[in-house]
Amino acid sequence: MRYKHLIIKMVLAMSNGDYLFKIYHYILAKYRREEHEKGREETQERKAEVIRIVSELESLDIIESTYSFIMGMLSVEKGGVSDV
């Protein structure tokens, strides 16, 4: 955490616009990569939870309606008809 405070202190003290521009783009790329990795982890967690729930379902009606819902979502994702 100390590094965060030092970075903020240094950035606040800077007056060179070129340096600030370069730092901004460097940090932005790192931030986007970190957010992408977090999103990927969250997606994997959601997939695992959905798979767990589906594997525990016993009602054929719920399984069929879930299947239809997922097929509809995949159709929209691939450019099919949407619900608009």
Side-chain angles (χ1 to χ4, degrees):
M1 286 301 193
R2 179 156 166 71
Y3 284 114
K4 286 184 181 182
H5 294 287
L6 292 173
I7 291 169
I8 292 169
K9 187 176 178 181
M10 288 186 288
V11 168
L12 289 173
M14 280 186 186
S15 59
N16 185 321
D18 289 339
Y19 289 163
L20 288 171
F21 184 77
K22 289 176 182 178
I23 291 168
Y24 168 78
H25 286 285
Y26 176 82
I27 293 294
L28 184 61
K30 300 292 183 185
Y31 176 76
R32 286 181 178 161
R33 184 180 315 138
E34 184 176 293
E35 287 298 307
H36 180 71
E37 289 171 3
K38 283 182 187 175
R40 189 177 310 151
E41 290 171 8
E42 290 173 359
T43 299
Q44 293 302 321
E45 290 172 8
R46 284 191 202 111
K47 282 182 185 179
E49 185 65 11
V50 168
I51 290 168
R52 183 191 68 76
I53 292 169
V54 168
S55 66
E56 293 177 6
L57 287 175
E58 294 182 14
S59 168
L60 187 56
D61 290 338
I62 294 173
I63 294 169
E64 288 176 348
S65 64
T66 302
Y67 173 81
S68 297
F69 177 76
I70 293 171
M71 289 303 291
M73 295 296 289
L74 291 173
S75 173
V76 169
E77 187 175 280
K78 293 180 181 179
V81 178
S82 66
D83 242 354
V84 180

